[in-house]
Amino acid sequence: MNDVNLNPETQTDVSKLEVLISRQQLQERIRELGQTISADYKNKELDLVGVLKGGFIFLADLVRELEIPCRIHFLQASSYQDRKTSSGVVRLSHDLQLSGKHVMVVEDIYDTGLTLQRVFEDLQSQSPASLEICTLLSKKIEGKVPLDVKYTGFEIENRFVIGYGLDYAERYREIPDIVCMD
Ligand code: XMP
Ligand code: MG
């Protein structure tokens, strides 16, 4: 962590925030996920699609735990702008071609599910050989868009979390642990 933890614009001292999931817990769970995914996709090549920006650190750590050949792609999804609640409008941007591939979406968090639903439907329309979702976090909230998420790292309470790729208004993605902002 930086020596100066006080962000000049938000005045938040990140060193005082509650750690929800430590870097060690993240490492252990991602190792397990990597082993499970490697076993499930044995003798197959996997096309991983990271959802930017929040999923970039998770994807980078996950692929280093895989023991199968893979290719790495990204798409950009944005819905939150600079707020803590979803705007409900999810914009996607990519030039992926995944027809006939075994595809896995790698996302930071399944909150309302609006983002993952949009990503899933968009990629499904490309007729991949298979399409699964892997999310690091899933929030326990009412009224989520129901989705068949095959791999989940951690179920968390309805808190606003930052760190390990997750942002608030584009800040705090670099924090190595997942911490609560509320
Ligand atoms: P939905 O509601 O579409 O949300 O499932 C998914 C996207 O919203 C962002 N998100 C969060 N970002 N802390 C964050 O930093 C949170 O607690 C949080 N909840 C949702 C995230 O970008 C995700 O892709
Ligand atoms: Mg975000």
mmCIF file with all atom_site columns, all heavy atoms in Angstrom, residues 54 80 108 167 173, ligand 2:
data_model
loop_
_atom_site.group_PDB
_atom_site.id
_atom_site.type_symbol
_atom_site.label_atom_id
_atom_site.label_alt_id
_atom_site.label_comp_id
_atom_site.label_asym_id
_atom_site.label_entity_id
_atom_site.label_seq_id
_atom_site.pdbx_PDB_ins_code
_atom_site.Cartn_x
_atom_site.Cartn_y
_atom_site.Cartn_z
_atom_site.occupancy
_atom_site.B_iso_or_equiv
_atom_site.pdbx_formal_charge
_atom_site.auth_seq_id
_atom_site.auth_comp_id
_atom_site.auth_asym_id
_atom_site.auth_atom_id
_atom_site.pdbx_PDB_model_num
ATOM   1  N  N   . GLY A 1 54  ? -13.193 -3.826 -14.519 1.00 0.00 ? 54  GLY A N   1
ATOM   2  C  CA  . GLY A 1 54  ? -13.145 -4.442 -13.192 1.00 0.00 ? 54  GLY A CA  1
ATOM   3  C  C   . GLY A 1 54  ? -12.526 -5.823 -13.137 1.00 0.00 ? 54  GLY A C   1
ATOM   4  O  O   . GLY A 1 54  ? -11.965 -6.223 -12.125 1.00 0.00 ? 54  GLY A O   1
ATOM   5  N  N   . TYR A 1 80  ? -22.077 1.852  -14.761 1.00 0.00 ? 80  TYR A N   1
ATOM   6  C  CA  . TYR A 1 80  ? -22.211 2.581  -13.502 1.00 0.00 ? 80  TYR A CA  1
ATOM   7  C  C   . TYR A 1 80  ? -21.841 4.052  -13.578 1.00 0.00 ? 80  TYR A C   1
ATOM   8  O  O   . TYR A 1 80  ? -22.167 4.819  -12.722 1.00 0.00 ? 80  TYR A O   1
ATOM   9  C  CB  . TYR A 1 80  ? -21.340 1.919  -12.429 1.00 0.00 ? 80  TYR A CB  1
ATOM   10 C  CG  . TYR A 1 80  ? -22.062 0.876  -11.637 1.00 0.00 ? 80  TYR A CG  1
ATOM   11 C  CD1 . TYR A 1 80  ? -22.888 -0.036 -12.257 1.00 0.00 ? 80  TYR A CD1 1
ATOM   12 C  CD2 . TYR A 1 80  ? -21.919 0.807  -10.258 1.00 0.00 ? 80  TYR A CD2 1
ATOM   13 C  CE1 . TYR A 1 80  ? -23.549 -0.994 -11.533 1.00 0.00 ? 80  TYR A CE1 1
ATOM   14 C  CE2 . TYR A 1 80  ? -22.566 -0.150 -9.533  1.00 0.00 ? 80  TYR A CE2 1
ATOM   15 C  CZ  . TYR A 1 80  ? -23.387 -1.053 -10.173 1.00 0.00 ? 80  TYR A CZ  1
ATOM   16 O  OH  . TYR A 1 80  ? -24.038 -2.001 -9.447  1.00 0.00 ? 80  TYR A OH  1
ATOM   17 N  N   . ASP A 1 108 ? -15.775 -9.284 -12.623 1.00 0.00 ? 108 ASP A N   1
ATOM   18 C  CA  . ASP A 1 108 ? -15.431 -8.996 -11.234 1.00 0.00 ? 108 ASP A CA  1
ATOM   19 C  C   . ASP A 1 108 ? -16.576 -9.310 -10.277 1.00 0.00 ? 108 ASP A C   1
ATOM   20 O  O   . ASP A 1 108 ? -16.359 -9.905 -9.230  1.00 0.00 ? 108 ASP A O   1
ATOM   21 C  CB  . ASP A 1 108 ? -14.961 -7.534 -11.061 1.00 0.00 ? 108 ASP A CB  1
ATOM   22 C  CG  . ASP A 1 108 ? -15.962 -6.507 -11.586 1.00 0.00 ? 108 ASP A CG  1
ATOM   23 O  OD1 . ASP A 1 108 ? -17.011 -6.896 -12.144 1.00 0.00 ? 108 ASP A OD1 1
ATOM   24 O  OD2 . ASP A 1 108 ? -15.687 -5.297 -11.446 1.00 0.00 ? 108 ASP A OD2 1
ATOM   25 N  N   . ASP A 1 167 ? -13.604 -0.570 -8.774  1.00 0.00 ? 167 ASP A N   1
ATOM   26 C  CA  . ASP A 1 167 ? -13.375 0.859  -8.605  1.00 0.00 ? 167 ASP A CA  1
ATOM   27 C  C   . ASP A 1 167 ? -14.555 1.569  -7.939  1.00 0.00 ? 167 ASP A C   1
ATOM   28 O  O   . ASP A 1 167 ? -15.670 1.055  -7.892  1.00 0.00 ? 167 ASP A O   1
ATOM   29 C  CB  . ASP A 1 167 ? -13.194 1.519  -9.972  1.00 0.00 ? 167 ASP A CB  1
ATOM   30 C  CG  . ASP A 1 167 ? -14.511 1.589  -10.745 1.00 0.00 ? 167 ASP A CG  1
ATOM   31 O  OD1 . ASP A 1 167 ? -15.138 0.526  -10.909 1.00 0.00 ? 167 ASP A OD1 1
ATOM   32 O  OD2 . ASP A 1 167 ? -14.918 2.685  -11.153 1.00 0.00 ? 167 ASP A OD2 1
ATOM   33 N  N   . ARG A 1 173 ? -8.715  0.780  -7.839  1.00 0.00 ? 173 ARG A N   1
ATOM   34 C  CA  . ARG A 1 173 ? -8.583  -0.538 -8.462  1.00 0.00 ? 173 ARG A CA  1
ATOM   35 C  C   . ARG A 1 173 ? -7.295  -1.232 -8.019  1.00 0.00 ? 173 ARG A C   1
ATOM   36 O  O   . ARG A 1 173 ? -7.188  -2.454 -8.029  1.00 0.00 ? 173 ARG A O   1
ATOM   37 C  CB  . ARG A 1 173 ? -8.557  -0.405 -9.995  1.00 0.00 ? 173 ARG A CB  1
ATOM   38 C  CG  . ARG A 1 173 ? -9.848  0.113  -10.603 1.00 0.00 ? 173 ARG A CG  1
ATOM   39 C  CD  . ARG A 1 173 ? -9.801  -0.021 -12.119 1.00 0.00 ? 173 ARG A CD  1
ATOM   40 N  NE  . ARG A 1 173 ? -10.831 0.762  -12.788 1.00 0.00 ? 173 ARG A NE  1
ATOM   41 C  CZ  . ARG A 1 173 ? -12.071 0.339  -12.999 1.00 0.00 ? 173 ARG A CZ  1
ATOM   42 N  NH1 . ARG A 1 173 ? -12.456 -0.844 -12.587 1.00 0.00 ? 173 ARG A NH1 1
ATOM   43 N  NH2 . ARG A 1 173 ? -12.947 1.108  -13.622 1.00 0.00 ? 173 ARG A NH2 1
HETATM 44 MG MG  . MG  B 2 .   ? -16.956 -0.640 -12.087 1.00 0.00 ? 2   MG  B MG  1
#
